[in-house]
Amino acid sequence: MSDAKLLDVPRYRESEHFGELERVALAYAEAMTVTSEDVSDELFASLRSVFSPEEIVELTATVAFENFLSKFHRALRVDAQGFCPISVMAQGSSESA
């Protein structure tokens, strides 16, 4: 993935860097991650139009695992280890804005 695409994740809905399949996957991940949101019937129908049932299960498991890790690390105050320099750049640019 290019740096430009990675930095454009927050704008995935309107970014030219993402195709339909990626937009649907990111919308699903976002709906799963935001506690106050449910996965709507429309979003699930969009998922089913681009992913097989097996792929939906795999995507769901991956997003759920990453959400688990996020909660786990935050509770234990585990800081980022710096393996993704682009995320450090992105955080720095949003903090200065």
Side-chain angles (χ1 to χ4, degrees):
M1 179 182 298
S2 71
D3 291 355
K5 185 174 185 176
L6 189 57
L7 289 171
D8 232 8
V9 169
R11 312 181 328 103
Y12 74 88
R13 284 184 174 87
E14 60 273 350
S15 171
E16 69 280 355
H17 291 113
F18 298 94
E20 178 65 17
L21 185 119
E22 293 166 312
R23 284 188 178 98
V24 170
L26 287 166
Y28 183 57
E30 187 174 55
M32 283 184 62
T33 301
V34 177
T35 305
S36 62
E37 284 191 35
D38 287 326
V39 175
S40 69
D41 292 340
E42 294 80 18
L43 177 53
F44 202 77
S46 294
L47 272 175
R48 290 172 54 197
S49 74
V50 294
F51 291 106
S52 70
E54 295 83 4
E55 290 170 326
I56 293 171
V57 169
E58 186 174 344
L59 178 60
T60 302
T62 301
V63 172
F65 183 68
E66 291 299 328
N67 279 317
F68 162 79
L69 287 177
S70 173
K71 299 289 186 186
F72 186 85
H73 290 150
R74 185 174 181 135
L76 295 176
R77 300 197 176 28
V78 176
D79 291 328
Q81 302 300 304
F83 294 119
C84 182
I86 217 65
S87 66
V88 173
M89 288 175 23
Q91 287 175 358
S93 66
S94 66
E95 289 174 359
S96 62

